[in-house]
Amino acid sequence: TILRILPPAARIVGGRMLFEGDDLLQKSDAEMRRVRGKRIAMILQDPMASLNPLFTIGDQVGEPLRVHEGATRATAWRRARELLKSVRIPSPETRVTQYPHEMSGGMRQRIVGAIGISCEPRLLIADEPTTSLDLTIQAQYLNLLRELQQTYGLALIFITHNLGIVAKMCDRLAVMYAGRVVESGPVSQIFNRPAHPYTEALLNSIPRMTDSTQRLAAIEGQPPDLAALPEGCAFAPRCASAFARCRTEAPPDFIVEPAREAGEAGRTARCWLAAPAGHGSGRALRNGAA
């Protein structure tokens, strides 16, 4: 959605996407083509689906440089070798002449990362980039992304279901349920004091090696149909803390904790339990005190 490469059946119906002061929804297709790969890049979940089996690694890593910076093929290949070296690909001089099927899964994932940073974007979106990696390579790849982020000074959006990776990689966390952000804020605050029942349930479902409990905690029920969301809060049918208002009225975003520094976003939660006293709701209503 950020890159505006939605499939034909999907469309953006409202809102704004502000990036460095520009609303991406107001840009023409030609303007967005200059943004994709140059100012905003993306690492997709499956590296084999991201790489073209018919072209060499050198051509694919160098393509953004040729498209966005007008580099010659020789210049693009020279830069491709440097990029492969920066993402820890051994023998980059040889690898640029090879094809994706000649690489391991971990190497393909790092090559996709090299393509992503080739034009030094301001924003890199990583969509489940460690899915195909074993734990050892996963740890190395996460450290590599951190190094690239610091070296190139880019912002990183990390999309994952792995809360352990979130704790390692992220400064701020946005928890989504049924297509909406239900809680957002600094990672340490959310992990230590979750404000939304869904966030709390996710954290409770993580197995702990020191816990002797025989059964794992699970969230009862199933996610809702996005084409027919229930009235009120979408999580209410599965929420152990839900009360009457949750089932009839969708909660807005409440500020749980204000921003600590100027220019930063605070912590928010889309839950009636987080509502301030002036809303006549929250925990008092659930407990029957109001």
Side-chain angles (χ1 to χ4, degrees), residues 100-273:
H101 72 272
E102 299 178 85
M103 311 289 172
S104 67
M107 292 176 70
R108 288 194 295 262
Q109 193 67 279
R110 281 177 280 170
I111 289 166
V112 172
I115 295 172
I117 64 171
S118 59
C119 291
E120 299 185 13
R122 303 303 303 146
L123 172 62
L124 180 63
I125 304 170
D127 180 11
E128 297 277 10
T130 60
T131 299
S132 60
L133 308 180
D134 62 47
L135 290 178
T136 302
I137 300 300
Q138 182 182 103
Q140 295 174 359
Y141 190 64
L142 293 175
N143 290 333
L144 174 62
L145 285 177
R146 269 294 195 189
E147 290 177 19
L148 294 174
Q149 181 189 24
Q150 294 166 2
T151 300
Y152 292 96
L154 53 85
L156 180 64
I157 294 179
F158 205 97
I159 304 167
T160 182
H161 65 273
N162 189 322
L163 292 175
I165 291 178
V166 170
K168 176 180 175 65
M169 290 293 296
C170 301
D171 302 307
R172 290 186 59 83
L173 167 64
V175 181
M176 297 189 69
Y177 185 81
R180 285 181 175 269
V181 174
V182 295
E183 182 170 2
S184 67
V187 167
S188 59
Q189 293 181 18
I190 292 179
F191 270 58
N192 293 325
R193 300 184 306 279
H196 196 283
Y198 178 58
T199 308
E200 185 175 4
L202 285 178
L203 292 171
N204 289 338
S205 69
I206 300 175
R208 292 170 173 80
M209 298 299 291
T210 57
D211 194 349
S212 60
T213 304
Q214 296 299 311
R215 289 185 63 85
L216 296 176
I219 303 174
E220 299 294 332
Q222 297 292 326
D225 179 358
L226 295 182
L229 290 173
E231 188 177 1
C233 173
F235 187 61
R238 309 176 68 190
C239 181
S241 301
F243 52 96
R245 189 171 190 179
C246 300
R247 298 181 178 88
T248 59
E249 189 177 348
D253 245 357
F254 293 111
I255 297 176
V256 178
E257 296 183 42
R260 295 181 177 180
E261 297 181 14
E264 287 189 355
R267 184 177 169 201
T268 64
R270 195 181 294 271
C271 179
W272 288 117
L273 298 179

Side-chain angles (χ1 to χ4, degrees), residues 61-71 75-77 79-80 83 118-119:
V61 176
E63 183 182 17
L65 297 166
R66 301 186 69 180
V67 171
H68 292 291
E69 299 182 5
T75 301
W77 271 57
R79 178 67 177 139
L83 287 164
S118 59
C119 291

Side-chain angles (χ1 to χ4, degrees), residues 57-93:
I57 299 301
D59 280 331
Q60 296 188 64
V61 176
E63 183 182 17
L65 297 166
R66 301 186 69 180
V67 171
H68 292 291
E69 299 182 5
T72 64
R73 189 170 188 264
T75 301
W77 271 57
R78 184 177 67 251
R79 178 67 177 139
R81 288 191 289 270
E82 295 172 357
L83 287 164
L84 293 184
K85 185 177 180 180
S86 73
V87 296
R88 313 288 192 273
I89 296 291
S91 304
E93 296 81 5

